[in-house]
mmCIF file of all heavy atoms in Angstrom:
data_model
loop_
_atom_site.group_PDB
_atom_site.id
_atom_site.type_symbol
_atom_site.label_atom_id
_atom_site.label_comp_id
_atom_site.label_asym_id
_atom_site.label_seq_id
_atom_site.Cartn_x
_atom_site.Cartn_y
_atom_site.Cartn_z
ATOM 1 N N GLY A 107 -4.197 -0.820 -11.496
ATOM 2 C CA GLY A 107 -4.665 -1.208 -12.880
ATOM 3 C C GLY A 107 -4.660 -2.588 -13.208
ATOM 4 O O GLY A 107 -4.425 -3.467 -12.227
ATOM 5 N N LEU A 108 -4.737 -2.910 -14.417
ATOM 6 C CA LEU A 108 -4.804 -4.244 -14.927
ATOM 7 C C LEU A 108 -3.405 -4.511 -15.634
ATOM 8 O O LEU A 108 -3.152 -3.798 -16.634
ATOM 9 C CB LEU A 108 -5.995 -4.530 -15.870
ATOM 10 C CG LEU A 108 -6.044 -5.958 -16.545
ATOM 11 C CD1 LEU A 108 -6.170 -7.038 -15.491
ATOM 12 C CD2 LEU A 108 -7.167 -5.923 -17.476
ATOM 13 N N VAL A 109 -2.757 -5.538 -15.294
ATOM 14 C CA VAL A 109 -1.515 -5.880 -15.922
ATOM 15 C C VAL A 109 -1.431 -7.427 -16.120
ATOM 16 O O VAL A 109 -2.089 -8.202 -15.495
ATOM 17 C CB VAL A 109 -0.223 -5.428 -15.178
ATOM 18 C CG1 VAL A 109 -0.249 -3.889 -15.103
ATOM 19 C CG2 VAL A 109 -0.334 -6.047 -13.858
ATOM 20 N N GLN A 110 -0.596 -7.752 -17.047
ATOM 21 C CA GLN A 110 -0.372 -9.237 -17.298
ATOM 22 C C GLN A 110 0.684 -9.836 -16.339
ATOM 23 O O GLN A 110 1.585 -9.033 -15.781
ATOM 24 C CB GLN A 110 0.142 -9.506 -18.701
ATOM 25 C CG GLN A 110 -0.914 -9.178 -19.906
ATOM 26 C CD GLN A 110 -0.429 -9.453 -21.144
ATOM 27 O OE1 GLN A 110 0.847 -9.290 -21.451
ATOM 28 N NE2 GLN A 110 -1.194 -9.926 -22.026
ATOM 29 N N ALA A 111 0.654 -11.151 -16.077
ATOM 30 C CA ALA A 111 1.671 -11.750 -15.253
ATOM 31 C C ALA A 111 3.018 -11.482 -15.684
ATOM 32 O O ALA A 111 3.217 -11.455 -16.953
ATOM 33 C CB ALA A 111 1.360 -13.228 -15.127
ATOM 34 N N GLY A 112 3.927 -11.086 -14.786
ATOM 35 C CA GLY A 112 5.280 -10.712 -15.225
ATOM 36 C C GLY A 112 5.393 -9.168 -15.560
ATOM 37 O O GLY A 112 6.620 -8.763 -15.489
ATOM 38 N N GLY A 113 4.414 -8.510 -15.419
ATOM 39 C CA GLY A 113 4.407 -6.987 -15.716
ATOM 40 C C GLY A 113 4.675 -6.230 -14.403
ATOM 41 O O GLY A 113 5.001 -6.754 -13.322
ATOM 42 N N SER A 114 4.708 -4.954 -14.493
ATOM 43 C CA SER A 114 5.100 -4.052 -13.474
ATOM 44 C C SER A 114 4.076 -2.993 -13.274
ATOM 45 O O SER A 114 3.404 -2.609 -14.210
ATOM 46 C CB SER A 114 6.402 -3.470 -13.652
ATOM 47 O OG SER A 114 7.360 -4.348 -13.743
ATOM 48 N N LEU A 115 3.916 -2.491 -12.045
ATOM 49 C CA LEU A 115 3.085 -1.345 -11.764
ATOM 50 C C LEU A 115 3.833 -0.576 -10.629
ATOM 51 O O LEU A 115 4.584 -1.045 -9.837
ATOM 52 C CB LEU A 115 1.693 -1.754 -11.190
ATOM 53 C CG LEU A 115 0.678 -2.169 -12.150
ATOM 54 C CD1 LEU A 115 -0.633 -2.660 -11.395
ATOM 55 C CD2 LEU A 115 0.314 -0.935 -13.114
ATOM 56 N N ARG A 116 3.559 0.786 -10.521
ATOM 57 C CA ARG A 116 4.080 1.572 -9.566
ATOM 58 C C ARG A 116 2.971 2.311 -8.839
ATOM 59 O O ARG A 116 2.349 3.111 -9.370
ATOM 60 C CB ARG A 116 5.161 2.573 -10.101
ATOM 61 C CG ARG A 116 5.928 3.370 -9.023
ATOM 62 C CD ARG A 116 6.614 4.502 -9.529
ATOM 63 N NE ARG A 116 7.669 4.963 -8.712
ATOM 64 C CZ ARG A 116 8.201 6.265 -8.864
ATOM 65 N NH1 ARG A 116 7.881 7.111 -9.782
ATOM 66 N NH2 ARG A 116 9.244 6.589 -7.964
ATOM 67 N N LEU A 117 2.762 1.994 -7.586
ATOM 68 C CA LEU A 117 1.735 2.699 -6.825
ATOM 69 C C LEU A 117 2.290 3.832 -6.086
ATOM 70 O O LEU A 117 3.396 3.825 -5.700
ATOM 71 C CB LEU A 117 1.033 1.713 -5.786
ATOM 72 C CG LEU A 117 0.659 0.293 -6.215
ATOM 73 C CD1 LEU A 117 0.006 -0.509 -5.197
ATOM 74 C CD2 LEU A 117 -0.445 0.478 -7.399
ATOM 75 N N SER A 118 1.450 4.862 -5.908
ATOM 76 C CA SER A 118 1.823 6.047 -5.214
ATOM 77 C C SER A 118 0.856 6.235 -3.983
ATOM 78 O O SER A 118 -0.341 6.002 -4.082
ATOM 79 C CB SER A 118 1.801 7.264 -6.101
ATOM 80 O OG SER A 118 2.761 7.136 -7.062
ATOM 81 N N CYS A 119 1.424 6.767 -2.842
ATOM 82 C CA CYS A 119 0.633 7.180 -1.744
ATOM 83 C C CYS A 119 1.016 8.537 -1.403
ATOM 84 O O CYS A 119 2.021 8.898 -0.874
ATOM 85 C CB CYS A 119 0.921 6.220 -0.621
ATOM 86 S SG CYS A 119 0.022 6.677 0.996
ATOM 87 N N ALA A 120 0.018 9.491 -1.711
ATOM 88 C CA ALA A 120 0.296 10.854 -1.463
ATOM 89 C C ALA A 120 -0.397 11.423 -0.190
ATOM 90 O O ALA A 120 -1.686 11.095 0.061
ATOM 91 C CB ALA A 120 -0.251 11.810 -2.670
ATOM 92 N N ALA A 121 0.343 12.038 0.747
ATOM 93 C CA ALA A 121 -0.195 12.475 1.987
ATOM 94 C C ALA A 121 -0.376 14.030 1.965
ATOM 95 O O ALA A 121 0.391 14.740 1.330
ATOM 96 C CB ALA A 121 0.724 12.134 3.125
ATOM 97 N N SER A 122 -1.456 14.453 2.631
ATOM 98 C CA SER A 122 -1.737 15.870 2.771
ATOM 99 C C SER A 122 -2.349 16.034 4.231
ATOM 100 O O SER A 122 -2.623 15.201 4.845
ATOM 101 C CB SER A 122 -2.755 16.319 1.745
ATOM 102 O OG SER A 122 -3.900 15.664 1.690
ATOM 103 N N GLY A 123 -2.517 17.302 4.538
ATOM 104 C CA GLY A 123 -2.915 17.690 5.933
ATOM 105 C C GLY A 123 -1.750 17.840 6.821
ATOM 106 O O GLY A 123 -0.747 18.392 6.492
ATOM 107 N N ARG A 124 -2.018 17.252 8.012
ATOM 108 C CA ARG A 124 -0.895 17.404 9.061
ATOM 109 C C ARG A 124 0.089 16.282 8.883
ATOM 110 O O ARG A 124 -0.023 15.245 9.542
ATOM 111 C CB ARG A 124 -1.563 17.405 10.379
ATOM 112 C CG ARG A 124 -0.597 17.645 11.525
ATOM 113 C CD ARG A 124 -1.298 17.508 12.942
ATOM 114 N NE ARG A 124 -0.326 17.757 14.029
ATOM 115 C CZ ARG A 124 -0.663 17.805 15.213
ATOM 116 N NH1 ARG A 124 -1.972 17.635 15.658
ATOM 117 N NH2 ARG A 124 0.301 17.933 16.279
ATOM 118 N N THR A 125 1.036 16.523 8.058
ATOM 119 C CA THR A 125 1.997 15.603 7.728
ATOM 120 C C THR A 125 3.401 15.966 8.485
ATOM 121 O O THR A 125 3.712 17.030 8.637
ATOM 122 C CB THR A 125 2.304 15.389 6.053
ATOM 123 O OG1 THR A 125 2.698 16.771 5.705
ATOM 124 C CG2 THR A 125 1.105 15.052 5.464
ATOM 125 N N SER A 126 4.268 14.854 8.762
ATOM 126 C CA SER A 126 5.461 15.035 9.274
ATOM 127 C C SER A 126 6.205 13.817 9.088
ATOM 128 O O SER A 126 5.808 12.700 8.877
ATOM 129 C CB SER A 126 5.423 15.478 10.673
ATOM 130 O OG SER A 126 5.122 14.371 11.558
ATOM 131 N N SER A 127 7.584 13.998 9.331
ATOM 132 C CA SER A 127 8.411 12.740 9.190
ATOM 133 C C SER A 127 8.285 11.731 10.358
ATOM 134 O O SER A 127 8.989 10.648 10.388
ATOM 135 C CB SER A 127 9.897 13.149 9.082
ATOM 136 O OG SER A 127 10.339 13.912 10.162
ATOM 137 N N ARG A 128 7.432 12.050 11.343
ATOM 138 C CA ARG A 128 7.344 11.224 12.491
ATOM 139 C C ARG A 128 6.587 9.872 12.215
ATOM 140 O O ARG A 128 6.458 8.933 13.006
ATOM 141 C CB ARG A 128 6.642 11.936 13.612
ATOM 142 C CG ARG A 128 5.192 12.255 13.302
ATOM 143 C CD ARG A 128 4.612 13.351 14.385
ATOM 144 N NE ARG A 128 3.346 13.882 13.867
ATOM 145 C CZ ARG A 128 2.112 13.459 14.248
ATOM 146 N NH1 ARG A 128 2.041 12.344 14.929
ATOM 147 N NH2 ARG A 128 1.189 14.162 13.845
ATOM 148 N N TYR A 129 5.937 9.825 10.989
ATOM 149 C CA TYR A 129 5.189 8.660 10.577
ATOM 150 C C TYR A 129 5.993 7.627 9.821
ATOM 151 O O TYR A 129 6.884 7.937 8.950
ATOM 152 C CB TYR A 129 4.168 9.104 9.776
ATOM 153 C CG TYR A 129 2.910 9.843 10.425
ATOM 154 C CD1 TYR A 129 2.665 11.131 10.055
ATOM 155 C CD2 TYR A 129 2.177 9.266 11.391
ATOM 156 C CE1 TYR A 129 1.645 11.851 10.657
ATOM 157 C CE2 TYR A 129 1.109 9.963 11.952
ATOM 158 C CZ TYR A 129 0.941 11.321 11.646
ATOM 159 O OH TYR A 129 -0.072 11.949 12.238
ATOM 160 N N ALA A 130 5.764 6.411 10.186
ATOM 161 C CA ALA A 130 6.222 5.272 9.386
ATOM 162 C C ALA A 130 5.078 4.976 8.374
ATOM 163 O O ALA A 130 3.878 5.242 8.741
ATOM 164 C CB ALA A 130 6.571 3.992 10.209
ATOM 165 N N VAL A 131 5.455 4.490 7.276
ATOM 166 C CA VAL A 131 4.477 4.170 6.220
ATOM 167 C C VAL A 131 4.488 2.802 5.759
ATOM 168 O O VAL A 131 5.561 2.188 5.531
ATOM 169 C CB VAL A 131 4.733 5.223 5.024
ATOM 170 C CG1 VAL A 131 3.461 5.099 3.966
ATOM 171 C CG2 VAL A 131 4.832 6.715 5.410
ATOM 172 N N GLY A 132 3.277 2.211 5.546
ATOM 173 C CA GLY A 132 3.172 0.804 5.157
ATOM 174 C C GLY A 132 2.237 0.718 4.052
ATOM 175 O O GLY A 132 1.274 1.506 3.914
ATOM 176 N N TRP A 133 2.449 -0.336 3.281
ATOM 177 C CA TRP A 133 1.486 -0.927 2.242
ATOM 178 C C TRP A 133 0.896 -2.233 2.634
ATOM 179 O O TRP A 133 1.500 -3.097 3.189
ATOM 180 C CB TRP A 133 2.188 -1.009 0.889
ATOM 181 C CG TRP A 133 2.487 0.244 0.139
ATOM 182 C CD1 TRP A 133 3.669 0.945 0.144
ATOM 183 C CD2 TRP A 133 1.554 1.045 -0.661
ATOM 184 N NE1 TRP A 133 3.572 2.078 -0.641
ATOM 185 C CE2 TRP A 133 2.328 2.052 -1.167
ATOM 186 C CE3 TRP A 133 0.297 0.713 -1.022
ATOM 187 C CZ2 TRP A 133 1.810 3.068 -2.014
ATOM 188 C CZ3 TRP A 133 -0.308 1.795 -1.874
ATOM 189 C CH2 TRP A 133 0.445 2.899 -2.332
ATOM 190 N N PHE A 134 -0.464 -2.298 2.416
ATOM 191 C CA PHE A 134 -1.255 -3.583 2.713
ATOM 192 C C PHE A 134 -2.003 -3.891 1.528
ATOM 193 O O PHE A 134 -2.223 -3.089 0.629
ATOM 194 C CB PHE A 134 -2.103 -3.282 3.967
ATOM 195 C CG PHE A 134 -1.395 -2.939 5.070
ATOM 196 C CD1 PHE A 134 -0.977 -1.492 5.300
ATOM 197 C CD2 PHE A 134 -0.970 -3.676 6.142
ATOM 198 C CE1 PHE A 134 -0.292 -1.082 6.391
ATOM 199 C CE2 PHE A 134 -0.279 -3.290 7.225
ATOM 200 C CZ PHE A 134 0.066 -1.987 7.422
ATOM 201 N N ARG A 135 -2.516 -5.080 1.661
ATOM 202 C CA ARG A 135 -3.448 -5.560 0.485
ATOM 203 C C ARG A 135 -4.457 -6.555 1.021
ATOM 204 O O ARG A 135 -4.238 -7.182 2.096
ATOM 205 C CB ARG A 135 -2.634 -6.251 -0.645
ATOM 206 C CG ARG A 135 -1.983 -7.498 -0.291
ATOM 207 C CD ARG A 135 -1.134 -8.002 -1.431
ATOM 208 N NE ARG A 135 -0.482 -9.258 -1.251
ATOM 209 C CZ ARG A 135 0.441 -9.713 -2.009
ATOM 210 N NH1 ARG A 135 0.724 -9.194 -3.192
ATOM 211 N NH2 ARG A 135 0.972 -10.889 -1.702
ATOM 212 N N GLN A 136 -5.619 -6.559 0.343
ATOM 213 C CA GLN A 136 -6.695 -7.472 0.831
ATOM 214 C C GLN A 136 -7.332 -7.942 -0.433
ATOM 215 O O GLN A 136 -7.826 -7.278 -1.272
ATOM 216 C CB GLN A 136 -7.641 -6.809 1.717
ATOM 217 C CG GLN A 136 -8.660 -7.766 2.241
ATOM 218 C CD GLN A 136 -9.435 -7.261 3.470
ATOM 219 O OE1 GLN A 136 -9.432 -5.826 3.650
ATOM 220 N NE2 GLN A 136 -10.070 -8.044 4.261
ATOM 221 N N ALA A 137 -7.378 -9.263 -0.621
ATOM 222 C CA ALA A 137 -8.061 -9.937 -1.678
ATOM 223 C C ALA A 137 -9.368 -10.538 -1.182
ATOM 224 O O ALA A 137 -9.547 -10.715 -0.013
ATOM 225 C CB ALA A 137 -7.125 -11.042 -2.235
ATOM 226 N N PRO A 138 -10.405 -10.619 -2.113
ATOM 227 C CA PRO A 138 -11.635 -11.161 -1.702
ATOM 228 C C PRO A 138 -11.475 -12.573 -0.930
ATOM 229 O O PRO A 138 -10.753 -13.468 -1.376
ATOM 230 C CB PRO A 138 -12.347 -11.461 -2.991
ATOM 231 C CG PRO A 138 -11.744 -10.379 -3.914
ATOM 232 C CD PRO A 138 -10.328 -10.346 -3.575
ATOM 233 N N GLY A 139 -12.183 -12.615 0.078
ATOM 234 C CA GLY A 139 -12.214 -13.878 0.915
ATOM 235 C C GLY A 139 -10.968 -14.121 1.757
ATOM 236 O O GLY A 139 -10.766 -15.076 2.427
ATOM 237 N N LYS A 140 -9.965 -13.122 1.781
ATOM 238 C CA LYS A 140 -8.707 -13.186 2.498
ATOM 239 C C LYS A 140 -8.621 -12.132 3.548
ATOM 240 O O LYS A 140 -9.266 -10.988 3.394
ATOM 241 C CB LYS A 140 -7.518 -13.250 1.552
ATOM 242 C CG LYS A 140 -7.474 -14.444 0.632
ATOM 243 C CD LYS A 140 -6.120 -14.428 -0.057
ATOM 244 C CE LYS A 140 -5.998 -15.779 -0.907
ATOM 245 N NZ LYS A 140 -4.673 -15.841 -1.616
ATOM 246 N N LYS A 141 -7.715 -12.329 4.509
ATOM 247 C CA LYS A 141 -7.392 -11.333 5.548
ATOM 248 C C LYS A 141 -6.587 -10.266 4.906
ATOM 249 O O LYS A 141 -5.849 -10.481 3.848
ATOM 250 C CB LYS A 141 -6.882 -12.053 6.812
ATOM 251 C CG LYS A 141 -5.453 -12.263 6.610
ATOM 252 C CD LYS A 141 -5.113 -13.404 5.609
ATOM 253 C CE LYS A 141 -3.641 -13.561 5.321
ATOM 254 N NZ LYS A 141 -3.354 -14.517 4.306
ATOM 255 N N ARG A 142 -6.607 -9.104 5.607
ATOM 256 C CA ARG A 142 -5.614 -8.036 5.313
ATOM 257 C C ARG A 142 -4.161 -8.484 5.503
ATOM 258 O O ARG A 142 -3.841 -9.129 6.511
ATOM 259 C CB ARG A 142 -5.894 -6.825 6.032
ATOM 260 C CG ARG A 142 -5.073 -5.605 5.685
ATOM 261 C CD ARG A 142 -5.540 -4.351 6.445
ATOM 262 N NE ARG A 142 -5.586 -4.484 7.849
ATOM 263 C CZ ARG A 142 -6.007 -3.666 8.731
ATOM 264 N NH1 ARG A 142 -6.593 -2.521 8.305
ATOM 265 N NH2 ARG A 142 -5.960 -3.907 9.980
ATOM 266 N N GLU A 143 -3.378 -8.175 4.498
ATOM 267 C CA GLU A 143 -1.962 -8.740 4.572
ATOM 268 C C GLU A 143 -0.903 -7.567 4.471
ATOM 269 O O GLU A 143 -1.148 -6.561 3.668
ATOM 270 C CB GLU A 143 -1.772 -9.676 3.327
ATOM 271 C CG GLU A 143 -0.332 -10.230 3.177
ATOM 272 C CD GLU A 143 -0.206 -10.984 1.916
ATOM 273 O OE1 GLU A 143 -1.072 -10.997 1.034
ATOM 274 O OE2 GLU A 143 0.933 -11.579 1.765
ATOM 275 N N PHE A 144 0.027 -7.644 5.311
ATOM 276 C CA PHE A 144 1.117 -6.658 5.206
ATOM 277 C C PHE A 144 1.944 -6.869 3.998
ATOM 278 O O PHE A 144 2.314 -8.099 3.774
ATOM 279 C CB PHE A 144 2.019 -6.834 6.545
ATOM 280 C CG PHE A 144 3.327 -6.095 6.481
ATOM 281 C CD1 PHE A 144 3.340 -4.674 6.577
ATOM 282 C CD2 PHE A 144 4.451 -6.643 6.158
ATOM 283 C CE1 PHE A 144 4.543 -4.044 6.402
ATOM 284 C CE2 PHE A 144 5.616 -6.021 6.034
ATOM 285 C CZ PHE A 144 5.708 -4.746 6.215
ATOM 286 N N VAL A 145 2.347 -5.818 3.344
ATOM 287 C CA VAL A 145 3.151 -5.907 2.167
ATOM 288 C C VAL A 145 4.681 -5.409 2.342
ATOM 289 O O VAL A 145 5.547 -6.036 2.098
ATOM 290 C CB VAL A 145 2.548 -5.267 0.943
ATOM 291 C CG1 VAL A 145 3.454 -5.362 -0.273
ATOM 292 C CG2 VAL A 145 1.218 -5.911 0.704
ATOM 293 N N ALA A 146 4.645 -4.136 2.749
ATOM 294 C CA ALA A 146 6.038 -3.484 2.881
ATOM 295 C C ALA A 146 5.744 -2.210 3.794
ATOM 296 O O ALA A 146 4.735 -1.691 3.931
ATOM 297 C CB ALA A 146 6.603 -3.011 1.576
#
């Protein structure tokens, strides 16, 4: 969503289908004109 500088957001990633604990999970981001970036 849209927030002011200094604010907070909580993102969720919900998995369905063939799920298991064998997966590591990561967050990435991509801004216009920039490469995809690893976040966490």
Side-chain angles (χ1 to χ4, degrees):
L108 174 63
V109 298
Q110 294 180 326
S114 299
L115 282 175
R116 191 193 196 198
L117 306 184
S118 298
C119 174
S122 61
R124 187 178 177 180
T125 60
S126 79
S127 61
R128 62 190 171 95
Y129 291 116
V131 184
W133 284 97
F134 304 82
R135 65 187 183 186
Q136 188 165 19
K140 294 188 176 182
K141 78 296 172 186
R142 183 173 58 188
E143 177 185 7
F144 167 77
V145 176

